[in-house]
Amino acid sequence: MQATSHAFKDNAHRALQDTELQRAMGHVRSGFIDKRQQAADRLPEFEQLRDEAKAIKDHTLAHLDLYLERYEAKVTENGGKVHWCANAEEARQAVLRICRSLNARTATKGKSMISEEIALNDFLSEQGIEPVETDLGEYIIQIRNEPPSHIIAPAVHVTKEQVESDFRRVHGHLSPERPLSEPTQLVDEARQVLRQRYLDADVGITGANFLIAETGTSVIVTNEGNGDLTQTLPKAHIVIASLEKVVPTLEDCSTILRVLARSATGQEFSSYTTFSTGPRRADDPDGPGEYHVILLDNGRSSMLGTEFQDMLRCIRCGACMNHCPVYHAVGGHSYGWVYPGPMGAVLTPSLIGVHEAGHLPNASTFCGRCEAVCPMRIPLPKMMRHWREREFEQHQTPPKARIGIEAWAFLAKRPRLYRWATSLGVRFLGRAGRKRGRFSNLPLAGGWTAHREMPAPAGRSFQALWAERQQRSGGAP
Amino acid sequence: MSARETVLGGLRRSLKRQPGDGAEAAVEARLRSRVRGTVPQRGQLSGEALLQLFVNQAEGVNATVTRVASSDDVPGAVADYLRQSNLPLQARLAPHPDLQALPWAEKVPMLELSEGRAAPEDRVSVTPAFAAVAETGTLVLHSGPQTPTTLNFLPETHVVVLRAGQVAGAYEEVWDRLREVYDGTMPRTVNMITGPSRTGDIEQKLELGAHGPRRLHIVLVEDGTEPA
């Protein structure tokens, strides 16, 4: 997809004015947070499992080349094929070659963020192969011609009224009398429409939550069962996965599974966790005749060994965005590419460049909730700070902000001057705002006061008050 | 240079891989040892307590469970469930000897049975399970000549016949059993199933029956075999 991450500020402004979006985002604010907390509380070992899950990924990343070779050997042994792809274009071409070899006209798809990352749907359509998204959320955004706004709930920005009107627009068979105002009715409608698509598809494409080196297995975690119908019914199953998905053993996968669903939706375990190893066996009555794994790098190998390596532990649960006040306010589309929220703010500059996405790491209040809930203990705020530093070093910070930061740095390095300047400022603002106790507009602070009021300072700086207090109690100032 | 070499070369450079750095031995050891992480206390039970945990967890995720005393009671339990759910007395059966050996014709002659993989018009499937995990109320099924995977997903109602001895406390125990039975190889598909199909994709409201089965019913047979 065409990235608009450079326009984050404008995107965010538009999102704040979008009443429909704001209504939809209310469900994120209320839903995910409580459910995750309850699931964590029900499992006394949860915090320990987070430490272990992190250690598994750290070990795997430190030996990633070797585990991938083992994984590939096992896939081959089981009759599957691994297609190594350095970038998005190679991955698209690999998918196309498989589709062409089967004369495929339609491909059903389970939810895959890597598919979004390589913009597979547009590409397949251009090549005359119809992609059909089968995850309900993905299906909704496909017919709306939108990118996902959340990594596990792609249509979280859409209200049920919008879904109804989209279904009525696209499903020509629907009579106007048929009621579609309730989620149950909408889910039924999608179920009926997609049922036939599964049966007609030539190829089924899924993502992977894990690749297991021990057995050459790919794993998908879903609730709807769409991924299973997608990968079981067609002639071929294509798995699209990025290379950091690999874990050593079934045991390691089980440990991480214990924190995945709890962090994502607050479920103890998702409805369907499916382990796929190779194509159907000679005496199997069903299953795909071919099994292909598109193994994508797309910039990840160059994150290894850098300050961004920790990001490769991410298991795409979405907890960071579910808990992010900035994401809650502006929604996923504002981030302008595939991955939104805190994980997107860190990953996107790595994958598409700091020139395009350098602004995303600024979209944080550094409240730290993302890191506090991340099951893989990824230090997201620290990495956002790395990006901010890099943005500043590369002179991409806008001139006004740059001058501001430099002026502040100048003062901060000179404590006496700093104290003098702040006490002057605080005294002046304190006097100016004494009557109302707050400002509704301030020169140079229009960006702040456009949406909220600035409280007037007390008239004396914290440091001055502190010094006075210490003196009064007889302590050293 | 092939893409494979490009990617692996890039990884080795980033990791500063040196010959003889011991990395290969570490990987071999890890894969051989199959070290377990923390296995939650919750599932470390036996006997009736383990079965009760399984039933509670499964019911907690909208599955239904009937407990029967012997395998001879399974046909009656399946027919009762279909009647209570207002479903036609028809089912597609997995061609598995454990199910074929049950006294269907004798106990429920009006139940119309067929065998094989699921067809799109099948409304009810009956399958065996390989194992179950009490920790989360999860069923473990796998593909094979006697257990087509389509039976687990196409029909609207999935009935699973589970023996008490198949219920394990944790996932790790099931992996060991699977390795033992299949000599270290994996069947094409292993399905962990925890309740019926669901979605929260429309305004975060939970709806059952998104694409897979709307109903998951478990017939738990307590035929004297103790759970492991």
Side-chain angles (χ1 to χ4, degrees):
Chain A
M1 69 183 269
Q2 189 62 44
T4 64
S5 304
H6 58 274
F8 175 80
K9 251 179 116 171
D10 294 339
N11 297 345
H13 273 292
R14 261 198 310 278
L16 289 168
Q17 313 295 338
D18 184 339
T19 50
E20 200 85 359
L21 172 71
Q22 292 300 326
R23 200 154 62 85
M25 293 307 290
H27 299 290
V28 181
R29 285 189 283 265
S30 59
F32 285 117
I33 295 177
D34 292 347
K35 283 188 220 152
R36 177 202 167 273
Q37 191 59 51
Q38 286 159 11
D41 291 346
R42 277 195 302 267
L43 188 68
E45 295 91 346
F46 187 69
E47 292 304 315
Q48 197 178 335
L49 285 162
R50 284 175 69 186
D51 292 335
E52 293 173 9
K54 170 187 183 293
I56 289 168
K57 280 280 190 179
D58 282 341
H59 166 81
T60 315
L61 290 172
H63 302 85
L64 192 54
D65 52 337
L66 299 168
Y67 279 116
L68 287 172
E69 286 176 303
R70 285 296 294 250
Y71 167 75
E72 181 192 30
K74 279 289 171 183
V75 172
T76 312
E77 201 177 291
N78 285 297
K81 184 166 170 48
V82 173
H83 305 255
W84 298 75
C85 300
N87 54 46
E89 177 56 18
E90 287 181 10
R92 289 189 292 261
Q93 291 298 336
V95 174
L96 181 63
R97 273 195 301 276
I98 299 162
C99 291
R100 288 266 193 266
S101 74
L102 294 161
N103 294 319
R105 283 176 309 166
T106 65
T108 40
K109 295 184 68 210
K111 207 178 111 42
S112 157
M113 290 310 293
I114 301 297
S115 163
E116 301 287 344
E117 186 179 318
I118 65 172
L120 186 60
N121 285 1
D122 287 347
F123 173 75
L124 287 178
S125 303
E126 284 162 22
Q127 302 297 327
I129 297 161
E130 188 193 1
V132 182
E133 293 289 352
T134 62
D135 171 83
L136 179 57
E138 286 284 343
Y139 178 71
I140 291 168
I141 62 166
Q142 187 183 26
I143 63 176
R144 291 171 63 83
N145 200 18
E146 282 180 329
S149 72
H150 189 289
I151 59 173
I152 66 158
V156 77
H157 61 287
V158 185
T159 60
K160 63 180 200 272
E161 289 76 17
Q162 290 172 315
V163 179
E164 173 176 1
S165 90
D166 290 321
F167 280 7
R168 291 201 188 280
R169 176 172 55 80
V170 176
H171 299 172
H173 59 268
L174 273 172
S175 109
E177 283 82 49
R178 166 118 173 254
L180 276 182
S181 56
E182 288 309 311
T184 312
Q185 297 156 346
L186 294 165
V187 172
D188 274 351
E189 168 64 12
R191 181 184 173 104
Q192 283 167 33
V193 168
L194 286 168
R195 198 34 74 127
Q196 196 56 43
R197 307 306 308 260
Y198 290 119
L199 297 164
D200 295 342
D202 304 300
V203 168
I205 301 173
T206 70
N209 292 82
F210 304 95
L211 306 173
I212 301 177
E214 174 198 353
T215 52
T217 300
S218 59
V219 184
I220 58 169
V221 178
T222 77
N223 277 313
E224 298 184 0
N226 65 306
D228 290 281
L229 290 167
T230 295
Q231 67 170 53
T232 305
L233 296 171
K235 288 179 268 193
H237 175 197
I238 303 177
V239 179
I240 318 182
S242 51
L243 37 81
E244 83 280 12
K245 296 285 179 217
V246 73
V247 293
T249 61
L250 290 163
E251 280 75 6
D252 293 321
C253 181
S254 306
T255 295
I256 304 180
L257 281 169
R258 285 192 174 98
V259 296
L260 173 58
R262 289 181 171 94
S263 300
T265 54
Q267 289 170 283
E268 303 236 317
F269 218 58
S270 301
S271 297
Y272 302 112
T273 303
T274 300
F275 299 74
S276 306
T277 314
R280 71 196 277 180
R281 307 295 143 82
D283 48 2
D284 279 352
D286 53 18
E290 292 181 20
Y291 176 75
H292 299 271
V293 181
I294 309 295
L295 192 59
L296 178 72
D297 182 344
N298 213 24
R300 288 164 175 83
S301 58
S302 28
M303 291 167 70
L304 271 184
T306 72
E307 67 262 55
F308 299 108
Q309 171 167 328
D310 290 344
M311 191 60 219
L312 296 174
R313 287 202 299 269
C314 177
I315 53 172
R316 307 290 190 266
C317 69
C320 61
M321 56 197 78
N322 292 342
H323 290 75
C324 177
V326 176
Y327 177 88
H328 289 169
V330 301
H333 286 163
S334 298
Y335 293 79
W337 199 53
V338 176
Y339 302 105
M343 59 78 64
V346 173
L347 188 60
T348 308
S350 291
L351 298 185
I352 63 172
V354 72
H355 282 276
E356 171 63 35
H359 214 42
L360 299 185
N362 297 323
S364 166
T365 64
F366 280 173
C367 69
R369 277 163 92 184
C370 51
E371 184 176 357
V373 297
C374 174
M376 307 307 286
R377 302 206 192 278
I378 300 171
L380 291 157
K382 189 177 97 187
M383 287 192 285
M384 282 187 253
R385 252 194 316 270
H386 287 320
W387 279 125
R388 289 187 188 187
E389 283 160 16
R390 218 176 266 198
E391 188 195 21
F392 191 80
E393 283 161 14
Q394 296 186 5
H395 294 271
Q396 286 172 4
T397 317
K400 252 205 249 171
R402 205 174 173 83
I403 293 167
I405 292 168
E406 275 167 355
W408 186 83
F410 177 85
L411 281 174
K413 281 185 241 163
R414 293 166 178 77
R416 227 178 269 173
L417 185 64
Y418 180 88
R419 253 173 263 152
W420 177 78
T422 46
S423 70
L424 198 73
V426 164
R427 208 180 310 156
F428 173 74
L429 285 176
R431 215 169 278 171
R434 195 170 346 167
K435 234 187 235 162
R436 293 186 58 216
R438 56 190 188 275
F439 299 99
S440 46
N441 58 68
L442 260 183
L444 298 177
W448 176 281
T449 53
H451 297 286
R452 49 218 172 304
E453 294 181 318
M454 173 81 105
R460 307 188 48 203
S461 73
F462 172 77
Q463 288 188 340
L465 291 169
W466 181 254
E468 186 186 287
R469 194 183 140 141
Q470 291 295 94
Q471 245 163 15
R472 251 195 325 227
S473 63
Chain B
M1 201 161 55
S2 73
R4 182 180 190 277
E5 285 158 28
T6 309
V7 174
L8 279 171
L11 289 172
R12 290 191 192 111
R13 263 193 312 281
S14 294
L15 292 167
K16 303 188 175 59
R17 180 73 64 233
Q18 304 285 338
D21 61 2
E24 284 194 36
V27 165
E28 280 304 317
R30 177 72 182 235
L31 289 172
R32 247 197 331 271
S33 70
R34 292 166 188 157
V35 57
R36 288 184 183 185
T38 295
V39 175
Q41 273 298 312
R42 179 202 286 179
Q44 310 301 300
L45 301 165
S46 60
E48 175 56 25
L50 183 68
L51 292 184
Q52 197 53 55
L53 175 66
F54 172 76
V55 172
N56 289 346
Q57 292 293 85
E59 288 177 344
V61 289
N62 311 87
T64 49
V65 184
T66 307
R67 296 176 71 157
V68 298
S70 92
S71 52
D72 283 356
D73 302 328
V74 171
V78 172
D80 286 348
Y81 174 73
L82 297 182
R83 278 194 210 96
Q84 283 157 19
S85 311
N86 289 321
L87 291 164
L89 287 177
Q90 279 174 346
R92 178 79 73 173
L93 213 62
H96 191 280
D98 285 1
L99 294 188
Q100 288 162 336
L102 299 174
W104 298 101
E106 186 188 323
K107 299 273 186 179
V108 282
M110 59 299 239
L111 181 61
E112 198 184 304
L113 293 174
S114 55
E115 281 189 1
R117 58 169 288 171
E121 60 278 8
D122 288 339
R123 296 185 61 187
V124 178
S125 64
V126 181
T127 74
F130 175 77
V133 180
E135 182 182 338
T136 45
T138 299
L139 296 163
V140 184
L141 282 64
H142 66 68
S143 58
Q146 298 157 351
T147 46
T149 302
T150 41
L151 292 176
N152 309 343
F153 293 97
L154 267 180
E156 286 199 339
T157 302
H158 183 194
V159 180
V160 178
V161 180
L162 176 71
R163 283 179 288 111
Q166 294 177 307
V167 180
Y171 317 115
E172 286 83 348
E173 297 164 43
V174 177
W175 296 134
D176 281 348
R177 284 188 211 177
L178 200 68
R179 286 180 184 122
E180 202 181 300
V181 174
Y182 291 96
D183 199 22
T185 63
M186 291 279 279
R188 147 69 197 169
T189 308
V190 176
N191 293 122
M192 286 190 168
I193 299 179
T194 311
S197 162
R198 66 199 60 214
T199 184
D201 273 349
I202 298 178
E203 296 194 351
Q204 308 280 295
K205 193 173 170 300
L206 177 72
E207 295 290 337
L208 296 182
H211 294 282
R214 293 174 192 274
R215 283 170 290 266
L216 176 67
H217 185 66
I218 301 163
V219 181
L220 178 58
V221 187
E222 298 170 74
D223 53 3
T225 53
E226 268 290 295

